[in-house]
Amino acid sequence: MPLVVALLCIAAFFAVAVLAAALGQRRDPTTTVYAASLAISTVLLLTALAHLIAGGPTLSVRMPFGLPVLGAHFRLDALSAFFLIVIDLGGAVASLYALGYGRHEDAPMRVLPYYPAFLAAMNLVVLADDAFAFLLSWEFMSLSSWAIVISHHREPANVRAAYIYLLMACFGTLSLLLAFGLLAGANGSFAFASIRGAEHTAWASGLAIILVLIGAGSKAGLVPLHVWLPLAHPAAPSHASALLSGVMTKVGVYAFIRIVFDLIGSPSPWFGLVVLAIGGITAFLGVLYALMQHDLKRLLAYHTVENIGIIFIGLGLALAFRANGIYFAAALAFTGALFHVFNHSVFKSLLFFGAGAVLTATHERDMERLGGLIHRMPKTAIAFLIGCMAISALPPLNGFVSEWLTFQAILASPQLPQWGLKLTIPAVGALLALSAALAAACFVKAFGTTFLGRPRTPAAANAVEVDRFSLAAMFILAGLCVFAGILPGIVIDGLAPAVAQLVGGVMPKQSAMAWLTIVPVEQSRSSYNGLIIFVFMVSSGTLTALAIHRFATRATRRSDIWDCGFPLDAPQTQYTPSSFAQPIRRVFGTVVFRVHEVLDMPQPGDTRAGHFGVRVIDPVWRFGYGPLARGIGWLAKHFDRLQFLTIRSYLTLVFCALILLLVVVAAWR
Amino acid sequence: MGTLAFDLAHLLAGGMLVLSFLLLYQDRITAVINVFAWQAIALSLSVAWQSIVQEAPHLVATAVIALVVKGFLIPFALHRIVRRLDIHREVEQVIGGGPTMLTGLALVALAILLVQPVREAGGTLTREDLAFALAIILLGLLMMITRRNAVTQIIGFMSIENGLILAASGAKGMPLVVEVSVAFSVLIALIVFGVFVFRIRERFDTVDVSALDRFRGERRER
């Protein structure tokens, strides 16, 4: 029943997409489309939630379309139910937000038909139960999201972003296709059930894991495949950015989990090491990139890279523990990863909505040109602050819980028998701690320069608060951040069926603990109680405020702000995002990004303006994609000659190819 | 199946292979067409012998089609084209006769090497026939790429088709419909080629296909 409802909802999404395309010629269907998407997403969300909470059985259905022998298989198990919740929570809230935000769109028909189709495709991916249906919906998801990315196509930067995204998406799908080909074996049994049941040789499963890391990683944003995220995510309208960054990257994570944990079975623990190392590097580099950014939406996109790294650290730990039969730790790490998937989808959507609200109010994304918005947009500022605290992993919010669970799993690493893993995992843990700290610094910068201080431009000074729908969407998500942070036990218990299905163990049942404490392994080792911390923070904060108000003087004093002994009125004298990032840029940037600070100071007595610039070299572009693109260009130029051969030369080419292949066959045997 | 069945089948198929080499060696167009006619006759004999050995009466039809269409009809038509168009009678070779023959020998060796390990897929008869057929196909391809003249390219193509029929007749139970449709497609190919040759002649006063390349403007000036 829930599966049928889900499939019907997906069909309804497609119908809305077609209707939007058909109706859009006559009148603006913005409200209709977003209201319909909101309704359908809510139904899907409730269905999946009910299925997961009730511990419903695994359902599967075979549809009579698709490949002739194969058909199209769909399946709803605990893992798909969890990801359905993530997708449709994001979808519902984004639709609610878009009811307000979408009205500011210049060319709504460039987004409207693709938006429900994109939601439908993401839902289909997590329900697909054979390689063909999976790849088809995966590719449909890529294409519909590409159409949304290129919706503001007048800007050359967006066209370039969409082009790079399309390249990465094609490349990723190709890798997944090859991975499924390897797993299906010579008989070509593409149904997930038969892939799951089959025995895979060590080299086939190893190669498949590498291919899936490339294919799913390019969608999720693992370094060095992350390059399209910071370009494409900000290019889309903000509600779609939230979906791209908060939700679609999670579908990439889903693909990785489904194939590596479920279909391949039990790979060697060393693959856990590979995943861990990539996750650690991704987390660290992602946050460093984000620190260098002053474009609000691009900063958020780079933070998605960081959070995907954190999720993959958890997944790598789970792989390593599961391969060694340490199930409690595997369950702990896997729960941490899934919890972070949920958390990131919540607070990243919230932050993108906040960025969208700022964009609507000021038409600015550059933080150097914002400031002081807390006075003009107080509600947005509060919601955005909660999102910033959650993503910085501050207790008592949800981001802290999932990162803390991942750390608990890292602390269990001495139980692993492999010395390589024992030595690497603490190093990855250090990277994780470092990126968590840098993320906090980064969001102090993001919130501080955007919302605090004085407005740097008239646009920021004249901002007004956004509409009710946008605010409602933001406050729902902010409420979820607080809820999942204070009552994490509920979420952990909800995740238990999916965890049990994939890693073979579960964490202790949290709702049985006293006082809403969560205990990852046992009471004597570690425990966390969000409620106590919350109560403590609220009560101590209130008491301090009362004490200050009671004992301090009430006389209002006026003085100059931060004038550094130079009472200048211009808002340019404020601390800027670049100045905020400077210490960290100097420490890490000189090594990783070869940052050069270029100072052009006029001679004393000279009246021209001085200049201070920062030159950043992105190593991924400089040493990875740049040479690759040049190599492909060189090859294409030289193979171009093949287009101008004579008929006889073509025949000769065919002949030589045939002879070569025959010789290979003769020699190989 | 006695040794006679083997020997005769091998003799006929081997004869076709020898005729393929003769095709490669000829440097006059009329002689090339005549040798092709002989190869088609050898093919029809070979197929007829297969029909007796395999007791498959429908192969007789194949043999008759090969004899009538490729032994007489096509050579006759080609002779007519050559006479009507007053084509230059010498075959222009890209690679000289000696190297072509040596390459051909290497191709035959390759064909035998390839087919030799095949054991389970049918009797020895099939296997040897397959080696001969593969060699004939490769030699036909070689002929197509080492000759400049359009008519000799047609002959190379037809001789590839001869090799295919030889291979197919060795396999047990080839349905007649396949053979008929192949024969028709060959005839249609001949018509297309014929029109093509006439057109080239009308336009360029030659059937040297390199004239076409110049016309397409796609040969780069060096």
Side-chain angles (χ1 to χ4, degrees), chain A residues 644-646 648 659 669, chain B residues 114 117 145 213 216 218 220:
Chain A
F644 302 103
L645 295 182
T646 63
R648 211 170 43 76
I659 295 298
R669 206 157 34 197
Chain B
L114 273 170
I145 63 171
D213 303 330
R216 287 204 308 171
E218 288 181 351
R220 290 214 166 147

Side-chain angles (χ1 to χ4, degrees), chain A residues 607-654:
Chain A
T607 50
R608 72 190 168 89
H611 282 285
F612 177 77
V614 176
R615 212 180 54 193
V616 179
I617 297 171
D618 186 342
V620 174
W621 280 105
R622 184 65 174 269
F623 303 111
Y625 291 97
L628 190 71
R630 280 197 296 279
I632 291 173
W634 184 85
L635 275 182
K637 207 176 85 192
H638 285 77
F639 274 100
D640 190 36
R641 229 175 259 174
L642 280 182
Q643 204 181 341
F644 302 103
L645 295 182
T646 63
I647 299 173
R648 211 170 43 76
S649 320
Y650 283 128
L651 273 177
T652 313
L653 270 184
V654 171

